[in-house]
Every structure is written in structure tokens, then in C-alpha cells.
Amino acid sequence: MDGFAVDGFDGRDLPLGRLRVAPNVGFVDINVTIDPTEPGYDYSKLYFTTSPDEPFDEARVICFRVVHTGRKERHRLVLPEAARASGFIRLRLDGLPYTRGRARGRFVGFVSEEDGSEASLRARRLDLKQRTRAAVEESENSRRSDLPHMPESISLELTAGCNLTCAHCSSHGTPEAHGMNNRRSAFSAEMLDGLAADAFAPLSLVNLVGRGEPMMVALPLWQKLIGHLQANDVLLTCVTNGTFLKKRIEPEMLPIIDTLTCSIDGTTPEIFAENRGGASLALWLENIAYFNALRRAANLARPPRLGLSWTLKKNNIHQFPDFIRLAIELEANLLYIRHLFVFHEKDRAQSLVNEPVLTNQYLREGYALLKGHAIKLDAVPLSDEAPARQAAS
């Protein structure tokens, strides 16, 4: 190694060395340990330059994710083509670019481009994902209509069926809609295998959404999906009613879970059951406690995130501040709050669209409770109260 490496260096930016690159080199190995002291870790950055005096910048960076906190991990990364062409590379590690903590790194060595080990195959997969993300960003900035690349994420409906009949649901809010969607065929194992083979390699994320409850699918299909995600280093987000968490979420799945967003819509057993098709609030809370226990015990640098979804209705608006208190207690990371969409005429009376004064009263109280808490809010703003006052006068 020509230059130096630093082991045990405490700080954000770690100089790892100036290195001569042989023509047949394809990968670089580094050892990394991170200890975040606050939430927010997403990934680490390895900056590189191809000349001794060139400054580091965001145009030349390799992104990768450390899995565990406080544990030394070896990461193999594809050596940039520019470094291979120049025969020289200078490295700097930013282990915790967006959060506080300690990071340690050390250059380990180079690996031949002909190496066919699992570590090298995984490095190529991660490199493909980074190149796909960059291509997607370029297409978005250029507003392209014809895309010359694969997507970086997909939304997937495993099933249109659901075990609940939530009153305000577009797909299961009436007996007719519930029956029709529960008779639809779920995603087949053959379709999933084909999709994974064709599209999972460049993906960073699969988002399970749609008309049904994703975790209600048969266990073999669920396990097959998780296997494909793990094999291809793809993260999972899922919108769920929360009733199957104990049956579908296992500890070994946690590193690939990005976010689970669970619907609630009521903080008392009566309102919860009224809005969630007769479901049990006690069971929902038990399942959330199970998921929280798993993510606390996993010692992951980036634990799975918990999202909570709330639909604003006349029968639950007074419970909105209690929902915020519960979200804080449950250590939620994201709150998704929306007004009722009137899909069925029977639900129109529950809409708060024409009740801005009542709505704002409880929204103000709830939003105020979030101050000082690191919870991301995807929520409706306060309503304009002027038209309501004018009508009253």
C-alpha cells in the first residue's frame, strides 16, 4: 500500500490512504465500524479522487450501508472505473454523514476483477443499484418520458384481499367490494419469481401497497418474497393493518425492512373497532409492541422504521391528540395523516372537509405535542376557517 491508513480514528471523515491501483483490480475492501448516538443513519459514504491534489466532492462517492452498530464489518465495493483507468485512488470515509456518532475505518486491500466470490457478486449488485439511482435522478431532472434504465423502486400489490372491512376503505368498505376483492387471485409464486429475476437486481426498494393486506398472503409466498429481497439486497416498505405482524415478521428480516406503516384510526377500543371493521385495538397494540421489541433488540445501525396512519373523521377527530401521544409512546418515526376520502356515499357524513374550526382545534393540539420529537410528519395542514365564519355570520 502506497500511503497510509488510519485505524481507530474517531471522527466523521476518515482518511484511508493514497493507493496505487493495479490494472486487474476490480474491488476495494474496507473495514468499518459505526456507533450512531442518535437516530437517522441511512448509509455511509466512501469518497474517492483519482489524483493526489484533487478535492473530494459529492460527484465521486460510493454509498453503502453498515448493518450493525458497534460491530466491525468488512465491506467490498466496486472500484470506480476512473480509478482503474488512472492507476491511483485516494479514499476518505464518511461513516455517519447525516447523524452524530463515532466512525472507524481501515483500508484492507484490493481484489481482482475476476474474483467470483459472493462478496464480489454483492459488490456488483450494490454498484448496479447506485448507478440506477443516479440514472433515475438524471431522468427526473431532465423530465424524460422515455427511460433508458430500470427503476430504482417498485410498488407491488401481492393481494387485493383483506381480513378487515374498514368502513372508509375504497376496496373493502362495502360487503360487495370486500367480497369481490377477496375473490381475486393473489400474486402467484411463478409471477414473483419472474419479477424478481427480471427487475430486483437494480432495485433499492419494494413498496407493498394496494387494495389488500399484503401480509395476508400465504406464508410460502411471503417467505419467497422475503428470500428474493434478501438475495438481491432490496429494502421493503409495507402499508399494513397490523394484524399479521407476529405471523409474518421474523428477526432475520429486520435488516431489509425500511418502514412498516400501520393504520390505526382510533385510540379507544370502540372507535378503533368502528373504523377498522371490528378489529381489536388490544391485538393491534400487542403486535406493535412485538415489532418494537424486535427492532430494539436487533442492534442495527438503521433499525426498521415505524409509521402510523390516521384517517381524520368526525368520529375520531377528538382523539387526534391522544393519537399523537400514543405515537410518541410507541416511538413512531413517521405519521401519515389524511382527511377522509369519500369513496362510498354512506361515509359522507363522517367527512370533516366542511368542519374547519372543529378540525383545527384538535390538529393544533396534536401538532403542538410533536414539538421536540424527531417524528417525520406527512400530514394535512390546518384548514382555512374564514369561509366557515362567513357562513355562520
Side-chain angles (χ1 to χ4, degrees):
M1 172 179 158
D2 180 16
F4 64 92
V6 177
D7 189 20
F9 185 93
D10 294 333
R12 183 175 296 272
D13 298 330
L14 310 181
L16 296 181
R18 303 181 179 191
L19 313 165
R20 297 295 176 184
V21 181
N24 68 331
V25 165
F27 308 92
V28 58
D29 278 2
I30 58 173
N31 285 340
V32 182
T33 307
I34 65 171
D35 294 282
T37 56
E38 62 184 21
Y41 175 77
D42 273 318
Y43 51 85
S44 301
K45 293 181 175 182
L46 185 65
Y47 291 87
F48 68 93
T49 68
T50 55
S51 64
D53 301 320
E54 181 185 1
F56 293 107
D57 61 49
E58 296 297 326
R60 293 191 169 189
V61 62
I62 306 170
C63 297
F64 64 99
R65 176 170 290 176
V66 176
V67 179
H68 295 95
T69 183
R71 183 188 303 181
K72 182 171 71 174
E73 295 180 2
R74 178 166 296 187
H75 288 264
R76 179 165 297 175
L77 306 171
V78 170
L79 194 70
E81 184 61 37
R84 298 176 62 184
S86 69
F88 175 91
I89 190 169
R90 187 162 61 102
L91 301 173
R92 189 191 80 188
L93 173 68
D94 190 347
L96 296 166
Y98 304 114
T99 188
R100 297 179 185 275
R102 291 158 56 94
R104 296 174 293 281
R106 181 176 178 82
F107 168 78
V108 177
F110 291 125
V111 178
S112 168
E113 64 180 347
E114 297 178 359
D115 184 82
S117 66
E118 175 54 35
S120 296
L121 294 176
R122 184 172 188 269
R124 293 191 187 280
R125 287 198 301 270
L126 297 180
D127 177 64
L128 173 60
K129 295 176 193 300
Q130 178 158 325
R131 288 187 284 110
T132 301
R133 286 193 295 270
V136 168
E137 183 176 359
E138 181 181 350
S139 292
E140 290 175 343
N141 292 337
S142 303
R143 297 185 177 182
R144 289 173 174 161
S145 57
D146 296 325
L147 303 181
H149 54 77
M150 295 290 284
E152 65 169 335
S153 66
I154 62 172
S155 294
L156 179 61
E157 181 184 270
L158 287 181
T159 178
C162 188
N163 59 312
L164 299 184
T165 55
C166 302
H168 54 272
C169 177
S170 63
S171 303
H172 296 273
T174 66
E176 296 77 17
H178 179 65
M180 177 182 66
N181 284 305
N182 275 13
R183 288 191 296 270
R184 296 183 188 276
S185 299
F187 222 81
S188 71
E190 294 74 21
M191 289 171 60
L192 185 57
D193 287 341
L195 180 64
D198 291 342
F200 276 24
L203 292 182
S204 296
L205 183 74
V206 166
N207 182 25
L208 297 184
V209 292
R211 293 164 291 181
E213 167 52 46
M215 295 188 192
M216 198 179 81
V217 295
L219 182 59
L221 182 64
W222 177 259
Q223 292 173 331
K224 181 179 284 288
L225 171 67
I226 297 301
H228 283 309
L229 297 177
Q230 291 171 328
N232 288 277
D233 297 288
V234 181
L235 293 176
L236 172 71
T237 68
C238 181
V239 178
T240 172
N241 60 36
T243 58
F244 291 91
L245 295 186
K246 280 190 174 182
K247 296 180 179 180
R248 293 293 182 265
I249 303 300
E250 301 290 344
E252 59 270 18
M253 300 177 186
L254 296 187
I256 65 161
I257 297 178
D258 181 276
T259 306
L260 293 186
T261 300
C262 302
S263 305
I264 173 171
D265 303 330
T267 59
T268 61
E270 297 76 18
I271 298 300
F272 183 89
E274 182 178 345
N275 289 333
R276 307 299 301 161
S280 166
L281 178 60
L283 176 61
W284 187 91
L285 290 170
E286 181 181 324
N287 285 334
I288 298 299
Y290 165 80
F291 177 61
N292 276 342
L294 288 184
R295 61 187 190 133
R296 290 190 200 106
N299 197 36
L300 297 176
R302 187 200 181 282
R305 293 172 182 173
L306 172 64
L308 299 180
S309 175
W310 183 275
T311 297
L312 297 167
K313 302 172 68 172
K314 282 184 181 177
N315 71 357
N316 69 11
I317 186 60
H318 63 288
Q319 294 184 346
F320 185 75
D322 287 335
F323 163 65
I324 298 298
R325 294 184 183 96
L326 179 62
I328 294 170
E329 178 185 340
L330 295 177
E331 303 175 32
N333 306 100
L334 164 68
L335 301 183
Y336 183 83
I337 300 157
R338 289 292 183 269
H339 275 290
L340 169 71
F341 287 98
V342 181
F343 295 108
H344 313 291
E345 190 61 33
K346 65 181 178 61
D347 299 317
R348 189 172 300 279
Q350 286 290 330
S351 174
L352 288 161
V353 171
N354 296 320
E355 298 283 354
V357 177
L358 174 65
T359 304
N360 289 348
Q361 172 189 342
Y362 293 106
L363 289 184
R364 283 194 187 96
E365 182 180 350
Y367 290 163
L369 292 170
L370 288 171
K371 292 182 179 179
H373 295 280
I375 299 178
K376 184 178 178 181
L377 191 62
D378 186 347
V380 298
L382 297 181
S383 302
D384 184 2
E385 297 180 9
R389 291 197 184 98
Q390 292 173 1
S393 62

